[in-house]
Every structure is written in structure tokens, then in C-alpha cells.
């Protein structure tokens, strides 16, 4: 007898439909799984056979063949245990069901018959909704994550016996629904506050511009100047995720197994801060079976690289393509995957190896050669992709003691959100463009028109700074963001002057 059901295979951050065919026939008892399974899938026969026995069913003495179609898609992990077990019981006549094909399933089986959580359940549920399945059975531990997908019934199961009784019609499993918009709206805690930062008003304004337009930032300053403190407070002024963005980010974290236990959704923009010893695979993603790296886990959020020159040069250089394109294409023998990576890069570094060059209160001990070698770890093409460059000086002790608390993050965030709304309205007819930093070169002439005075100012500053064509585009984008924060439709000479002022490190530090 033949039985069929459906599940999914995760590829990158998406899933593909997998049809599970189980045939039980007379002959010598054996259990064969075909369809390009990996070792974890091949071992399912032992987990499934034992779980069936421990769930109150007699041992199956048949020639069993399980086909996972399509056969050219590699099947990985234990997510097929539950659908194989249920389809096997139907194929051997131990369970009768008339609606098995209406539902999909995913879950790992313990030897006791308990259903355990799996990674990547969100893209699988999205794929099952796309192909028109009525519902899907998922492990109880995955149900909150899966239930954010509207348009498909999500049923939690704790054991194989529950799943069998559901398909036999003797047990009702109530579907679970979660309100995606309400989940996003409920979590608005911004964490640490910019009000704690005393001084550094220019740096705080530059970071406000960077967040408002999604621009990359490099902060250079001696130890204690507040680089890390400022960066750690960026989440408090980031604009809230939209429901669609939250689903997009959650899908990446689901595939990577980074969702906290019981959490339904990533409701805040990610803030990732990998150590400088991270490998290029850890930063970009990859592996034998490709997994998202830090640049993808920071999608729609912030990637903070502290001690920027301490990262290996080959690790930094692999970021050039995702910074430009907003996605990472990884090809391996086992699979080719595409991971989204539209993030805001925030980097921090000292001006020299000892950290005190240009510091008014400490003497620098580094030679010119040492300084040049240290700064040379950041290549020109990578620097070109950083829109705003800030030189920070330590805040004087008297200002630290006497200065009042700074402007709270809530006030800054309100201005950022207003600027993002202007950009959303401007780019409403441009798919894939959400903020000024994502504008393409052909969009600049349409949205960043300069009057005669602004053009003259831009020409003079570019000649003085000797910037590349890419840097010119990025200056225009930053000027557009400064205008948005000022509530101006036009980009004026003052906005251009402000944007060019944040490119002076091109000359001061690298030329």
C-alpha cells in the first residue's frame, strides 16, 4: 500500500516542497530511504521504527521504501521523522485517514515517540501555505514561531500518538494563531539610552543621520572616547521593524537556529557584534551545508565591528559584495544558497596601534610606519563603502561630571522615524529600496537634484577631497538624509557641506 504526505527542505532562507512517499509491500523486512538523504535522514528509519513501537503499535514486518521527492534536492536533518512515521502507519493499514494529503508535517522523533523541535520551521510553513496546504503539524516547541504565518492552520503536536489520532479523526488539535502586527508592536524596549552619553554632540548627530538613512559609519578615536558606548546605544534609536521585515528577519534566525526558546518572532532590529577573531565563513556564512553568517543575521539591523583593523584583511574584504548588493551568494558542492544581508555597518577603531595619536592628553608611541601599516589594514574599496567617517576626541573630565543628561533616545528615534516615513513615501514605486542608502545610481538624479549653489559646493569639495565616483554617490545619499531630517524636499548647499564634512578622513587618514 502507498501513502503520501508533504514536508519541506530548507535551502538558504527559503524552503522547497518535499513529497514523502511510503510504500509497504510483502517481502523480506527492510527499511530503505531514497531521494538524496543525508546521514541524519538515513538514521530516521531507526528512530521511526522505535518510536512506532513505543507509541503502542506492533512492530512493522514489511518491505518498506521511503522516497523523498524531488530526488535532486538534498534532504537534511531529522525534520522528516514525523511525516515518515505517520505515512508508514497509513501505508501499513495500522491507521486509516482520508485527509493525510491535506496537511504537511515536520518534526524530529524521540525514541519514546515524543516530537522534538527542529530548525527552519518558519520557511517550511511559508512554503506549505504557498502550495495550498490546509494545515501543518509542527512540534509544540515550534508552534509560536510557526503560528505567525497567516492563511494556514498550525497544529502543535507533542507525540507521534497525538499526530496519529489527529489523522484518524479521534483527536482534535486546535490550530494556534498569532497576530504578527501585535507581536511587533508589543516589544518596543530600546535598551540603553543615548541620554547616558555626555558630550559627543557631533557624533550623536552623525549617528542620527546614519540611522535615518541606513548609512555605514566608521568611528575613529582613542580609547575612552565613547565609540563602543555610542554604538551599543544605536538599537534605541533604530526605527521599529515592520511586520513584513520582522517575518523576513525571523526566517533567517529560524534557519540559523538562533531564535530564543519559545520566541515567536524577532521583534527588534538585530544588533550583531562578532569578535575580531571571526572567520570569513562565520562573518559571510557558508559551511559544507551553507548557514547564514553574521552579515545575514544582522539583516535589517546593525553589524558592529569593534577594533576594525584587528579583523583579518581577507575577512573584511569579503564584506564588499554584501555591502554593495545587499545579499550573499554562497556556492558549495552540496548546495548554492542566497542569503539576504541588507545591514548597516558600524565600525570602530583607534587612530594608531597604541591608540593615542592626535589625543590631546596622551603621547603617541607609534612610528609613522606603524601607523601607516595599521591604517592600511582597511582597504580603499572598503573605505569607499562607508558613508560617514567620524573622528572622536575624549570628553573632558569636567564635562563628564558637570554636563546634564543628554537628549533621550525616544526624541532622537522620533526624528529618525519621521525621516524614514519621508523616504518610504519617496520610494513607494521602487521595489527593494527602503531608505536613502539603498538608492541605486540611477535613482540619484531623480531624488538628489542639486541647485546651482549646491553643485558648485559639491564640485569644490570633491576636488579638494579627491573622492572616487562611489564616494560621490554616497555623499549625495547622506546629503539627502540630512535634508530629510530637516524636513526639506530640496538638497541644498548646506546639506552637501555637512555630508562632505564626514568624508574628510579619506584625506586625513589614508592619503
Amino acid at each position: 500500500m502507498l501513502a503520501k504526505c508533504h514536508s519541506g527542505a530548507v535551502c538558504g532562507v527559503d524552503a522547497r516542497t518535499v513529497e514523502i512517499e511510503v510504500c509497504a509491500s510483502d517481502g523480506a523486512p527492510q527499511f530503505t530511504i531514497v531521494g538524496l538523504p543525508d546521514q541524519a535522514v538515513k538514521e530516521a528509519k531507526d528512530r521511526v521504527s522505535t518510536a512506532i513501537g513505543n507509541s503502542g503499535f506492533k512492530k512493522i514486518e514489511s518491505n518498506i521504501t521511503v522516497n523523498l521527492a524531488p530526488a535532486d534536492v538534498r534532504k537534511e536533518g531529522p525534520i522528516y521523522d514525523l511525516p515518515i512515521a505517520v505515512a508508514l502507519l497509513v501505508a501499513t493499514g495500522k491507521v486509516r485517514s482520508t485527509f493525510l494529503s491535506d496537511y504537511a508535517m515536520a518534526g524530529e522523533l524521540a525514541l519514546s515517540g515524543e516530537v522534538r523541535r527542529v530548525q527552519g520551521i518558519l520557511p517550511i510553513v511559508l512554503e506549505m501555505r504557498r502550495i495550498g496546504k490546509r494545515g501543518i503539524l509542527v512540534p509544540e516547541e515550534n508552534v509560536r514561531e510557526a503560528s505567525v504565518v497567516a492563511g494556514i492552520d498550525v497544529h502543535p503536536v507533542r507525540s507521534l500518538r497525538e499526530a496519529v489520532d489527529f489523522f484518524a479523526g479521534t483527536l482534535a488539535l486546535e490550530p494556534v494563531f498569532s497576530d504578527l502586527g501585535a507581536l511587533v508592536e508589543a516589544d518596543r524596549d530600546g535598551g540603553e539610552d543615548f541620554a547616558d552619553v555626555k558630550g559627543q554632540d557631533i557624533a550623536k548627530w552623525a549617528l542620527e543621520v546614519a540611522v535615518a538613512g541606513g548609512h555605514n559609519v566608521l568611528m575613529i578615536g582613542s580609547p575612552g572616547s565613547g565609540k563602543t558606548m555610542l554604538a551599543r546605544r544605536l538599537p534605541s534609536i533604530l526605527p521599529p521593524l515592520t511586520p513584513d521585515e520582522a517575518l523576513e528577519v525571523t526566517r533567517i534566525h529560524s534557519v540559523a537556529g538562533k531564535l530564543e526558546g519559545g520566541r515567536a518572532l524577532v521583534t527588534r532590529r538585530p544588533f550583531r557584534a562578532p569578535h575580531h577573531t571571526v572567520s570569513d565563513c562565520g562573518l559571510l556564512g557558508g559551511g559544507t551545508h551553507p548557514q547564514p553568517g553574521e552579515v545575514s543575521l544582522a539583516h535589517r539591523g546593525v553589524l558592529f565591528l569593534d577594533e576594525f583593523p584587528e579583523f583579518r584583511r581577507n575577512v573584511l574584504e569579503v564584506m564588499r559584495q554584501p555591502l554593495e548588493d545587499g545579499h550573499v551568494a554562497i556556492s558549495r558542492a552540496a548546495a548554492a544558497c542566497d542569503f539576504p544581508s541588507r545591514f548597516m555597518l558600524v565600525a570602530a577603531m583607534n587612530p594608531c596601534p597604541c591608540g593615542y595619536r592626535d589625543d590631546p592628553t596622551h603621547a603617541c608611541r607609534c612610528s609613522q610606519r606603524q601607523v601607516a601599516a595599521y591604517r592600511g589594514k582597511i582597504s580603499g574599496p572598503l573605505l569607499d563603502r562607508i558613508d560617514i567617517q567620524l573622528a572622536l576626541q575624549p570628553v573632558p573630565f569636567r564635562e563628564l561630571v558637570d554636563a546634564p543628561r543628554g537628549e533621550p533616545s525616544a526624541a532622537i528615534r522620533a526624528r529618525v522615524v519621521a525621516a524614514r516615513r519621508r523616504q518610504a513615501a519617496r520610494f513607494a514605486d521602487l521595489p527593494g529600496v527602503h531608505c536613502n542608502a539603498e538608492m541605486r545610481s540611477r535613482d540619484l538624479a531623480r531624488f538628489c537634484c542639486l541647485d546651482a549653489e549646491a553643485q558648485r559646493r559639491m564640485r569644490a569639495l570633491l576636488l579638494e577631497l579627491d573622492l572616487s565616483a562611489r564616494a560621490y554617490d554616497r555623499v549625495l545619499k547622506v546629503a539627502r538624509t540630512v535634508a530629510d531630517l530637516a524636513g526639506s524636499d530640496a538638497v541644498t548647499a548646506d546639506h552637501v557641506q555637512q555630508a562632505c564634512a564626514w568624508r574628510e578622513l579619506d584625506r586625513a587618514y589614508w592619503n
Side-chain angles (χ1 to χ4, degrees), residues 373-432:
Y374 180 76
R375 294 173 179 171
K377 294 179 181 180
I378 313 300
S379 69
L382 181 58
L383 187 66
D384 252 1
R385 289 166 169 83
I386 297 177
D387 309 8
I388 296 176
Q389 305 157 9
L390 295 172
L392 276 68
Q393 293 293 335
V395 179
F397 177 75
R398 182 178 295 278
E399 189 173 344
L400 286 175
V401 174
D402 298 337
R405 282 173 60 85
E407 187 178 25
S409 292
I412 301 173
R413 186 177 188 175
R415 294 194 295 269
V416 167
V417 170
R420 285 290 183 106
R421 284 177 182 154
R422 293 177 65 90
Q423 294 166 48
R426 181 185 304 128
F427 305 134
D429 61 340
L430 294 179

Side-chain angles (χ1 to χ4, degrees), residues 3-7 19-20 86 90 97-105 128 131-135 167:
K4 296 181 181 179
C5 62
H6 288 86
S7 190
E19 185 177 42
I20 298 165
V86 173
V90 173
S97 177
T98 59
F99 54 92
L100 179 64
S101 60
D102 295 339
Y103 289 82
M105 288 174 275
M128 294 303 103
I131 66 173
K133 287 297 175 183
R134 177 180 170 185
F167 284 108

Side-chain angles (χ1 to χ4, degrees), residues 3-9 16-22 34 66-71 75 80 101 128 131 133:
K4 296 181 181 179
C5 62
H6 288 86
S7 190
R16 293 186 60 178
T17 301
V18 173
E19 185 177 42
I20 298 165
E21 303 173 308
V22 179
V34 296
V66 177
N67 180 40
L68 307 177
K75 321 303 185 306
Y80 307 106
S101 60
M128 294 303 103
I131 66 173
K133 287 297 175 183

Side-chain angles (χ1 to χ4, degrees), residues 272-292:
R272 305 291 300 183
H275 192 260
H276 63 259
T277 55
V278 67
S279 66
D280 53 355
C281 182
L283 188 67
L284 198 67
T288 306
H289 305 296
Q291 288 286 302

Side-chain angles (χ1 to χ4, degrees), residues 117 140-145 183 259-265:
R117 75 183 306 274
E140 190 175 43
E141 292 179 71
N142 288 117
V143 71
R144 292 197 65 205
E145 172 190 348
L183 286 172
L259 278 180
E260 299 173 5
R263 193 174 180 85
L265 198 69

